[in-house]
Amino acid sequence: MATAAQTVRRFAPGRLANLEPQYVILVGGLGLILALLVLAPLAILLFYSLWSVGPVDDGGSFTLENYRKTFLAGSTYRLLFNTAVFGIGSVALGLVFGVSLAWVVERTNAPFRNFAFVVAIITAGIPPLLYAMAWVFLLNERTGVFNIPFTQWLGWNKGIFSPYTLGTLVVVEAFRLTPTIFLMVVGLFRSMDPALEEAAATSGADMRTTVRRVTLPVMLPGLLGVIIFVGTATIGLFELPAILGMPGGIHVFATRIYLAMDTTPRDYGLATSLGTVAALIGIVGIYYYHRVTRVQQKFATITGKGYRPRRIDLGRFRKWAGAAIIFYFFLMVVLPSVVLIYASTQPFFKPPSISAFENANLDAYREIFGQEGFWIGLRNSLTLIATVPIATMLVSAIVSWVVVRSKARGRGLLDTLAFIPFTAPSIVFGLAFLLIAFWIDWIPVYGTIWLIVIVHVARFLAYGTRATNGAMFQLHKELEEAGSVSGVGWLTVFRQITLRLLVPSLIAGWLWVAIHSGRELSMALLLSTRDSQILSLVAWGAWENGRSSEAAAVGMILMVMMTVIVILARIVTVRLTREHG
Amino acid sequence: MAVAVRVEGLEKRYATDEGAVNAVRGVSFEVEDGEFFTLLGPSGCGKSTTLRCIAGLEKADGGEIAIGDMVVVSQSGAQVPAHQRPIGMVFQSYAIWPHMDVFDNVAFPISRGKGKLPKAEVRERVLEALSLVRLDGLERRPAPQLSGGQQQRLALARALVRQPKALLLDEPLSNLDAKLRDDMRVELKTLTERLNITTLFVTHDQLEALTLSDKIAVMRDGLIVQLGGPKDIYDDPNSRFTAEFIGTTNLLEGTVASRDGDVMRVETPQGTLVCAALDSLGPGDRAAIAVRPANIGVSAEPPNADNVLEGSIETVVFLGDSHDCRVDVGGELIRAFVHASRSVERGDKVYLAMSAADCRLLPPEAAFVEREDGGGASLRLGAGASPAVA
Ligand SMILES: Nc1ncnc2c1ncn2[C@@H]1O[C@H](COP(=O)(O)OP(=O)(O)OP(=O)(O)O)[C@@H](O)[C@H]1O
Ligand SMILES: [Mg+2]
């Protein structure tokens, strides 16, 4: 055995001799795969933004013309302005809602506190597309539920609310972001040692001073991380601006790129140059996200032992806080669900009335069940949910293992590679893969669901690896070393010990990816053909063609699927945690 | 006797943000079959690193390691991966796998990979290992539900079940509370003796090292500074560092005045002392004298001894079976023990008696070079070494 090992690496002197061959293969292989999945699309995007013709035409030459045209157009500046207002406005408003809610839930004695978590979990299953549709039904100038007092009681021909304004867009997105921000901020509250606040209190500071001088400054790095995280996601969002913005001519990056690709002939120059700019903005955001979270790790000492939240007695405001939580549940869950169910039974959307209820029917469902497209979409969506989360979490676990555990060179690069997809808006990522599909048309993936599977995995790796990195850091390294010194090979140790101990985090990550993959629209938007369409796309198609009841019906089915997944994942997690005590 | 573990010129560097750390800088030793060998030293001296290089968990940067007749790290840089080395290891955190029960934890090394055994034999071997560490009957208990001491014994059973050529233990007792640690120490001693297994033990606790070991290597800054049996090291430290790290010691500094056959006279500020001669020293050389507190007699009347010093008691601490006294002799505090039956008080005039054989002369390089050391060593300083500590 010893002699065999001695012959392993005689050939390589110096540095190289210290590399184990399996690491070289692992890191090299992973690096190559990630580079293909991540760098190649962005490189191709950049290339076409600097090329005079699109991928379908021959010839072409290097040019800055695309950028010149893009930045000479006034519409581009309106778009930048809209994106800024949309991003900053909705994140700021969402932060107000989310932080207040988190504070009420974590630090006060308000009733119905656990309810807020239920809301956060349920809303995770609502596709943004559907959420936006619900608000159209609610705010429509003539038929919107909120406008009933004006249209029906006052007899005006339109109400004061309109779904198609920048303001609506900001507010609805803020609502949609609230559960996410809430969950992240709750995490921040929990990782903070209550003794820090108690020390301030015993130093004579009152509650307001304590919050202002201790709580907020200590949480600031974490909050900045949250802001950049949701901000980057919002800037790249397609669904809400598409449904609430486009009809009113309000464009952001994602919708403008969609439009450029939806016209004939496709305007590749505009799409790629805008996409490159959006990706650059994302890269800057991510750079700061990295820096901020690094600072946060330095603050890691704020983690206290045995968390005992010190709850503030709200006194007579207690019932108001409880009412706010119920209102939040109503706004986030009840209202959109009810209005969507209702809309799916109305051939033409009318405000709720006796005659409307009498005319309610299930025609829309009958109609979509009769369409072949729906069944293709259903099959493809199920394929996505069955493959994308598992593949993503498995690759994430391996990448994290290399990044966190191995001493392999280039592991930092691997980590960065895995995180890059986060920088570009989903639709830009889809666009880039479309360009690639033209290049590698000899690989028969274009037009199949597998192309979309690959794109989703590439994109969600950014989230998956964050989850597994964190879990791997917390896994005591000696647990794996004990496996190695037991005479068991690396692969067995990884399978039987590392993966097994990561199961709770893997399930959490799986759920996150499953939900996002199942409800995702914008990546598939440019990539799907008839045979590779997915449910969210079927809903979008119906909506665009004015068949709102069908769109709502497909949306309802999608939502039920998501909810079932969420509930199943919860059950499995609870089981597991009970088993492992 | 055959050599079970051979380490030669072992080197290990870590690359860190602040540059390279030379954790191990050329360590060599041999462990014989069935021997209990301890690496002892203050925190950060490279004990764990040495052990982990032997286990294959760290890659050695230089040197050679052999376990039995298998060369696991060769001069050419070739390394046998950890899982192919015939070892068992117990970690400081025990590293009990929480997703398995007691039986599965122990069975893991022999039911997977190359060393896989038939089911019946696995069962037999696991039960045998469990009864060895007195965990019989707990096979189906989920691992996280064990107490600290039980987890520790489980880790030991898991390390032993493969019947390794060498058992590696990295501070296995340090996570236990004091009483349990005493029991486990005795148990570990009996067990390794009974199995006659070659054991490499890492600790920073001198008591563990002295009571368990057949041989001790005292490490400091990535080097072995002294190697020998527990008694040799205790009685005959070759440096101030060893003298201070192992047990408590009084150190008196002075100059060699003359040599007279086997004894030397040394001038110190406290008086002239007679010590066993050291060949490397001659008249006029600076030197230090190490005396264990236990070897100092304390009396009210002038005693008859090779060396007698006169002083007054500065502090007295009652230890139950004795008084721990610090005696001011010419401005230096010397630590000595007085039997509990005698009453001593602060300010008492006393005489300190030391035989020449108990006064160890330490050569100047050992005595004076190592003053800057912080860390573990200075915590154990005897009274004489540094008045500030008293
Ligand atoms: N993974 C690592 N990266 C960088 N430096 C390290 C690493 N592991 C150990 N070191 C450094 O190497 C030196 C020796 O470490 P080692 O763990 O061997 O000490 P030790 O003698 O076991 O100490 P302790 O009693 O505290 O466990 C220390 O200075 C330590 O900081
Ligand atoms: Mg150590």
Side-chain angles (χ1 to χ4, degrees):
Chain A
M1 219 188 279
T3 42
Q6 276 166 6
T7 58
V8 174
R9 265 162 289 109
R10 280 267 175 69
F11 63 92
R15 272 251 149 79
L16 225 56
N18 287 331
L19 292 176
E20 276 190 19
Q22 63 260 43
Y23 281 172
V24 178
I25 295 167
L26 194 67
V27 177
L30 280 178
L32 198 69
I33 294 173
L34 286 184
L36 280 179
L37 283 179
V38 171
L39 285 187
L42 293 181
I44 268 196
L45 183 73
L46 182 64
F47 170 81
Y48 276 112
S49 74
L50 294 168
W51 201 245
S52 58
V53 295
V56 278
D57 303 309
D58 295 327
S61 59
F62 173 82
T63 176
L64 286 174
E65 184 63 17
N66 293 329
Y67 286 101
R68 208 180 65 86
K69 268 207 296 225
T70 303
F71 283 102
L72 277 183
S75 61
T76 303
Y77 295 95
R78 261 200 311 283
L79 171 161
L80 284 173
F81 172 77
N82 289 340
T83 309
V85 172
F86 177 52
I88 296 170
S90 54
V91 171
L93 198 57
L95 220 52
V96 172
F97 296 151
V99 174
S100 328
L101 191 65
W103 184 78
V104 167
V105 167
E106 281 298 302
R107 291 292 153 94
T108 73
N109 64 346
F112 310 121
R113 291 193 304 264
N114 283 337
F115 222 54
F117 290 99
V118 177
V119 180
I121 290 163
I122 295 179
T123 48
I126 303 181
L129 185 70
L130 227 55
Y131 197 66
M133 290 180 189
W135 282 96
V136 172
F137 293 129
L138 290 171
L139 297 180
N140 191 294
E141 287 180 340
R142 268 182 263 281
T143 58
V145 179
F146 283 12
N147 282 327
I148 289 179
F150 312 102
T151 51
Q152 302 203 343
W153 304 345
L154 294 177
W156 299 355
N157 69 354
K158 61 182 189 180
I160 61 166
F161 296 109
S162 163
Y164 307 122
T165 67
L166 194 53
T168 315
L169 194 55
V170 166
V171 173
V172 173
E173 172 66 0
F175 286 161
R176 200 188 65 90
L177 286 178
T178 303
T180 313
I181 295 176
F182 162 73
L183 282 183
M184 290 176 96
V185 175
V186 162
L188 290 181
F189 270 124
R190 289 194 175 170
S191 69
M192 197 175 111
D193 191 343
L196 291 178
E197 290 177 337
E198 282 159 15
T202 52
S203 316
D206 62 9
M207 190 175 95
R208 263 191 43 214
T209 318
T210 305
V211 167
R212 207 160 44 87
R213 302 290 296 275
V214 177
T215 316
L216 281 181
V218 170
M219 280 176 52
L220 193 64
L223 272 183
L224 277 178
V226 174
I227 291 172
I228 299 173
F229 184 87
V230 294
T232 316
T234 296
I235 288 174
L237 189 71
F238 170 78
E239 286 92 335
L240 262 68
I243 288 188
L244 300 175
M246 274 205 303
I250 301 164
H251 276 291
V252 296
F253 274 112
T255 52
R256 193 73 196 85
I257 291 170
Y258 168 71
L259 215 62
M261 296 298 288
D262 204 37
T263 51
T264 359
R266 287 169 159 178
D267 190 346
Y268 284 103
L270 179 64
T272 51
S273 54
L274 276 181
T276 308
V277 173
L280 278 180
I281 294 176
I283 286 173
V284 173
I286 285 324
Y287 172 74
Y288 281 104
Y289 179 74
H290 254 297
R291 280 196 31 179
V292 160
T293 45
R294 189 143 2 109
V295 174
Q296 202 186 348
Q297 273 160 12
K298 283 195 187 136
F299 268 49
T301 45
I302 60 174
T303 310
K305 287 179 192 147
Y307 175 73
R308 315 150 268 117
R310 189 173 62 98
R311 296 208 175 273
I312 292 159
D313 187 0
L314 288 178
R316 64 203 167 87
F317 292 110
R318 196 166 166 266
K319 56 176 180 293
W320 289 109
I325 293 176
I326 296 296
F327 177 69
Y328 166 68
F329 175 70
F330 186 73
L331 193 71
M332 286 304 300
V333 179
V334 179
L335 208 56
S337 315
V338 168
V339 84
L340 279 171
I341 294 173
Y342 170 75
S344 71
T345 63
Q346 297 291 314
F348 299 99
F349 190 83
K350 286 194 278 306
S353 64
I354 294 171
S355 77
F357 280 111
E358 276 170 353
N359 287 335
N361 59 45
L362 295 178
D363 282 352
Y365 292 91
R366 227 166 276 133
E367 178 69 27
I368 55 170
F369 287 156
Q371 291 165 5
E372 201 197 350
F374 168 78
W375 295 107
I376 295 175
L378 182 65
R379 198 189 57 217
N380 285 334
S381 281
L382 289 176
T383 310
L384 277 186
I385 293 168
T387 54
V388 172
I390 284 205
T392 308
M393 293 321 291
L394 205 60
V395 178
S396 295
I398 298 174
V399 169
S400 287
W401 187 85
V402 173
V403 169
V404 177
R405 278 288 191 270
S406 81
K407 288 148 205 152
R409 293 171 135 252
R411 58 186 196 276
L413 195 67
L414 212 58
D415 193 33
T416 311
L417 267 183
F419 198 48
I420 282 181
F422 186 80
T423 56
S426 301
I427 195 161
V428 175
F429 214 59
L431 170 66
F433 268 89
L434 178 71
L435 297 172
I436 284 199
F438 282 115
W439 271 35
I440 51 161
D441 51 5
W442 37 272
I443 303 180
V445 288
Y446 182 71
T448 71
I449 187 66
W450 302 111
L451 178 62
I452 295 164
V453 169
I454 292 170
V455 180
H456 275 199
V457 171
R459 168 115 190 142
F460 293 134
L461 267 182
Y463 301 91
T465 49
R466 291 320 95 184
T468 44
N469 275 359
M472 197 79 77
F473 269 119
Q474 283 173 1
L475 197 66
H476 202 309
K477 148 175 117 177
E478 288 184 351
L479 288 168
E480 286 167 89
E481 290 177 346
S484 302
V485 296
S486 296
V488 172
W490 173 82
L491 202 62
T492 315
V493 172
F494 184 75
R495 277 204 337 256
Q496 305 255 352
I497 296 174
T498 316
L499 275 188
R500 289 295 303 279
L501 290 173
L502 286 181
V503 160
S505 324
L506 288 177
I507 292 183
W510 181 94
L511 176 63
W512 197 96
V513 176
I515 288 170
H516 284 78
S517 180
R519 72 186 204 186
E520 160 70 31
L521 166 69
S522 36
M523 272 184 277
L525 197 60
L526 302 181
L527 287 173
S528 279
T529 57
R530 215 188 86 85
D531 286 335
S532 63
Q533 62 180 317
I534 52 180
L535 275 191
S536 54
L537 214 55
V538 176
W540 166 248
W543 182 266
E544 246 201 332
N545 289 320
R547 303 195 306 270
S548 62
S549 57
E550 278 176 39
V554 177
M556 281 315 300
I557 290 166
L558 192 58
M559 207 164 121
V560 169
M561 268 168 59
M562 294 294 119
T563 311
V564 169
I565 290 173
V566 172
I567 291 170
L568 282 182
R570 290 293 301 175
I571 291 173
V572 173
T573 321
V574 169
R575 269 274 161 77
L576 274 179
T577 43
R578 201 177 299 149
E579 251 172 43
H580 289 308
Chain B
M1 265 216 255
V3 174
V5 177
R6 183 170 54 82
V7 176
E8 240 176 74
L10 177 68
E11 285 173 26
K12 174 69 194 174
R13 281 176 293 275
Y14 290 110
T16 65
D17 292 345
E18 288 87 42
V21 176
N22 278 314
V24 177
R25 308 182 292 162
V27 160
S28 306
F29 58 86
E30 285 185 356
V31 187
E32 279 168 5
D33 247 341
E35 201 172 39
F36 197 113
F37 187 96
T38 297
L39 292 166
L40 174 67
S43 185
C45 69
K47 317 174 291 280
S48 295
T49 306
T50 306
L51 196 73
R52 291 167 61 82
C53 286
I54 297 172
L57 297 172
E58 301 288 351
K59 257 187 187 72
D61 290 318
E64 192 164 290
I65 299 176
I67 302 173
D69 47 14
M70 179 195 277
V71 178
V72 293
V73 175
S74 73
Q75 291 291 356
S76 64
Q79 316 237 359
V80 176
H83 68 273
Q84 288 171 13
R85 301 185 184 191
I87 50 165
M89 184 161 176
V90 175
F91 295 84
Q92 196 169 1
S93 68
Y94 313 145
I96 300 298
W97 299 307
H99 60 299
M100 302 180 189
D101 62 16
V102 169
F103 185 95
D104 291 340
N105 261 285
V106 181
F108 188 88
I110 50 172
S111 53
R112 288 174 180 82
K114 279 225 181 75
K116 188 171 170 165
L117 297 174
K119 264 226 162 72
E121 205 181 332
V122 168
R123 186 166 172 77
E124 197 178 309
R125 288 265 288 267
V126 170
L127 293 183
E128 191 185 303
L130 284 176
S131 82
L132 213 52
V133 297
R134 299 191 293 111
L135 281 180
D136 338 48
L138 293 182
E139 296 89 58
R140 287 299 158 211
R141 179 82 62 89
Q145 291 176 16
L146 295 180
S147 71
Q150 286 171 329
Q151 289 199 14
Q152 146 93 113
R153 290 207 291 264
L154 173 55
L156 202 56
R158 187 176 63 189
L160 288 171
V161 76
R162 274 172 90 198
Q163 303 176 343
K165 285 226 171 65
L167 178 63
L168 312 180
L169 309 169
D170 190 354
E171 309 215 15
L173 304 179
S174 63
N175 271 344
L176 301 175
D177 56 44
K179 179 78 183 70
L180 204 53
R181 199 180 316 169
D182 288 346
D183 296 345
M184 273 311 294
R185 203 170 56 222
V186 177
E187 205 167 310
L188 193 61
K189 177 86 178 159
T190 348
L191 187 65
T192 50
E193 256 167 20
R194 183 142 61 98
L195 296 174
N196 195 27
I197 187 170
T198 312
T199 308
L200 261 108
F201 184 77
V202 160
T203 185
H204 61 253
D205 185 314
Q206 39 136 347
L207 187 66
E208 279 174 15
L210 291 174
T211 52
L212 286 169
S213 321
D214 297 320
K215 208 185 254 174
I216 298 175
V218 182
M219 286 190 70
R220 179 182 190 204
D221 288 347
L223 292 170
I224 293 184
V225 291
Q226 190 167 6
L227 205 148
K231 194 151 167 51
D232 300 338
I233 293 201
Y234 188 83
D235 289 343
D236 215 355
N238 67 358
S239 68
R240 178 181 186 143
F241 172 77
T242 315
E244 287 175 353
F245 190 69
I246 300 196
T248 44
T249 284
N250 296 296
L251 282 168
L252 300 171
E253 289 171 12
T255 315
V256 178
S258 65
R259 175 165 186 164
D260 183 8
D262 280 349
V263 291
M264 274 178 167
R265 307 183 74 79
V266 180
E267 303 277 2
T268 71
Q270 286 72 38
T272 306
L273 297 176
V274 191
C275 324
L278 202 65
D279 286 337
S280 57
L281 292 177
D285 285 343
R286 307 249 321 130
I289 300 164
V291 202
R292 301 272 178 206
N295 293 331
I296 301 178
V298 183
S299 55
E301 305 300 320
N304 188 10
D306 295 337
N307 299 305
V308 177
L309 298 175
E310 205 183 327
S312 66
I313 295 184
E314 185 68 28
T315 58
V316 183
V317 177
F318 181 55
L319 295 180
D321 51 358
S322 63
H323 299 283
D324 179 355
C325 306
R326 284 174 168 82
V327 182
D328 184 339
V329 182
E332 191 88 351
L333 290 179
I334 297 183
R335 195 162 166 198
F337 296 123
V338 176
H339 196 268
S341 60
R342 280 177 48 194
S343 72
V344 280
E345 262 178 52
R346 181 158 191 248
D348 284 0
K349 288 263 173 288
V350 290
Y351 294 93
L352 303 178
M354 299 163 273
S355 80
D358 289 331
C359 294
R360 293 283 148 201
L361 256 188
L362 298 175
E365 69 275 9
F368 300 112
V369 177
E370 303 167 353
R371 296 222 67 165
E372 80 285 359
D373 186 72
S378 59
L379 294 174
R380 292 160 201 274
L381 284 182
S386 153
V389 178

